[in-house]
Amino acid sequence: MNRTRQLHAWLLLLPALAMLAAFTHIPVISTLFNSFYESPIAGKPGQFIGADNFRFVLDDDIFWKVLWNNFWYALITVPASIALSLIMAIWVNSRLSGRAIIRLAYFTPTVLPMIAVANIWLFFYTPEIGLINNLLEALGFEGQNWLGDPDLALPSLMVMTIWKEAGFFMIFYLAALQSMDTSLYEAAAIENAGRWQTFKRITWPLLMPTTLFILINALINAFKLVDHLFILTKGGPNNASNLLLYYIYENAFSFFDTAYAATLTSILLFILALLAWFQFGFLDKKVHYR
Amino acid sequence: MGQLDVNSLSKFWDDFTAVDNVSFTVKSGEFVALLGPSGCGKSTTLRMIAGLEMPDNGELFLNGLPITQMSPGQRGLTMVFQSYALFPHLTVQENILFGLQVRKVHREERQRRLKFAVELVDLGEHLHKKPSQLSGGQCQRVALARSIVSEAPLCLMDEPLSNLDAKLRGQMRTELRALQKKLGMTVLYVTHDQTEAMSMADTIILMNSGRIEQTGRPEQLYNQPETTFVAEFIGSPPMNLIDHGKTLTGIRPEHIHISSDSIPPSVHHTVTVVSCDYLGADTVVQVRLDNHFLLVRVPGHQPLASGRTLSISWKKQNELTFCSSRSQRIAPVQNLTFNNNHKAKEPENAA
């Protein structure tokens, strides 16, 4: 009896396990494995070279630049999109006329594919004919080469990312706000708590589980979403807007240095694991769950 | 302590009138129950007094001060919610002190009031627990303590006991009433449960479809119902109403006796038993009189077979007469002497 139950359980798990193993676990292991070998050349498998690839990473200026870029990219876009999404959610959760339209408007960037979004923003950012420069010039300011200037390329990407992500996170905040017990707010109102006190002492703590969930997603996205780089900057100029995953892609499929790409991927996985550990191991204990 | 005056309060939802020209006064130190079936406007009235709904008409005064235009926080009253409305992420202590912190009450004063309230409601060992770790009754006490520490002139309660089981509800009823008397709190208490209103309140305001049906002491509502609605709402089982065309005769189930020999002036009828409900201390017998059904409360266990013929009687003085078109009581209560044993209630501020 017990044995057949066990067998049934494993059989039911098998399809999902097989898919996960084929597309997640085995690639992870083979990536780690490959990072200790040379890249295969002309079909000949590469030699075992120990930690040489990792030593090379430490000396690779582009890697450090890309990592630094990604660090700034996450540090700016994650809090900015979370803050913006929370403000939008509180705004569209209040009793205002036409709020369904506003909710839809805020959510629209999310349903667009990243490639389409990048093409729209390419039109905004393009010098000469771009929307932003046309507006600036109409107001008497000088237009900028938004994607061509090394100082402006990464911030321009950040703005677009925040625009794209905030609407998605707003949905989670909105759902959390709508499931809240309104009598808590009435109790706070009777105690004469102002808007800011109510937000600080009630709304924000009760939204923490949602915020943690969004934080995890936003951080993973900051490392994972690079589709827009293909359209907008291709990491340029001079790697000013390059991000870690795009750099891995370049190494693997433009430079065909698969071993180095595997090494960089191992480092990316390590960073993501570290973030996950921090979030679930540390922040999770500080959050009140209902 | 405070006095609340409500002057012709009204509230409309589109073309539905939720509260229709309601006026009453809650005197200082009084426990007033706002009683009525669901949808009668009692909760809306309470929420307008709290400031959670804006009235479409009428005025509110707390200790003579107009509060109609004030925000809920400015009114300086306190409220116990049906769902308790405890902040789930805060401990019991933080929940109780929330309002005092918001109102920037001095730290020593906060601690003094906390200690006082916690002892009153017996929460000492739970101060550092979260609401999710407490039972329903304990949550209720936290909500009460939160009201007590505010030392507000008026305490509003919105069906605070309806989420508790029957036994705990009875116990909390006694405690709540004792607490209210001890602290001299002015309480306006919304409930749909006539037992709660009858057992706790000094005054009952019975509402029906947005209007006040009758205001009075519990025994007044029971013995001298002004309308057929009051007669049928107050009392369990409700008053029997016998239709005579232009008038209705009302008689309480406990005033009907099963016997043929009785002292005049009394009313006799021969009826058939329909069913019996045994309730422990007494039995409620449903009988048929012509084409009316009457409820008769008889003491003890009386298993009467259905279809059996009985003769019943009641004293003429226990009868009430209502006008059937206006549903108002027309005949005066024939003999007021039976009220005297209910008037044992001590006068307010007897001390």
Side-chain angles (χ1 to χ4, degrees), chain A residues 288-290, chain B residues 86-90 92 95 129-135 139:
Chain A
H288 170 83
Y289 286 97
R290 269 171 280 184
Chain B
L86 300 182
F87 305 118
H89 58 293
L90 300 180
V92 167
N95 262 291
K129 288 185 183 169
K130 295 270 175 74
S132 58
Q133 294 165 283
L134 301 179
S135 69
C139 286

Side-chain angles (χ1 to χ4, degrees), chain A residues 12-71:
Chain A
L12 287 168
L13 284 172
L14 188 64
L17 271 181
M19 296 295 273
L20 270 174
F23 296 107
T24 306
H25 302 139
I26 293 169
V28 166
I29 293 162
S30 82
T31 300
L32 284 172
F33 187 75
N34 284 338
S35 64
F36 292 99
Y37 284 80
E38 279 184 315
S39 290
I41 298 163
K44 276 190 289 180
Q47 281 190 319
F48 180 78
I49 51 165
D52 273 7
N53 280 329
F54 289 93
R55 256 175 242 127
F56 185 70
V57 168
L58 295 179
D59 292 334
D60 181 2
D61 290 341
I62 299 173
F63 166 75
W64 287 110
K65 177 159 197 176
V66 164
L67 191 65
W68 197 238
N69 280 350
N70 224 142
F71 169 76

Side-chain angles (χ1 to χ4, degrees), chain A residues 83-142:
Chain A
L84 190 62
S85 62
L86 182 55
I87 292 166
M88 296 193 307
I90 290 172
W91 156 253
V92 298
N93 191 41
S94 57
R95 288 186 209 170
L96 62 125
S97 52
R99 63 177 171 180
I101 306 246
I102 301 171
R103 282 180 193 176
L104 183 68
Y106 282 152
F107 192 61
T108 313
T110 305
V111 296
L112 298 175
M114 198 61 170
I115 296 291
V117 167
N119 275 301
I120 295 168
W121 282 77
L122 185 62
F123 165 70
F124 291 170
Y125 281 144
T126 306
E128 314 295 332
I129 57 161
L131 181 75
I132 295 174
N133 277 357
N134 273 331
L135 275 172
L136 281 177
E137 278 157 25
L139 292 168
F141 294 98
E142 204 178 325

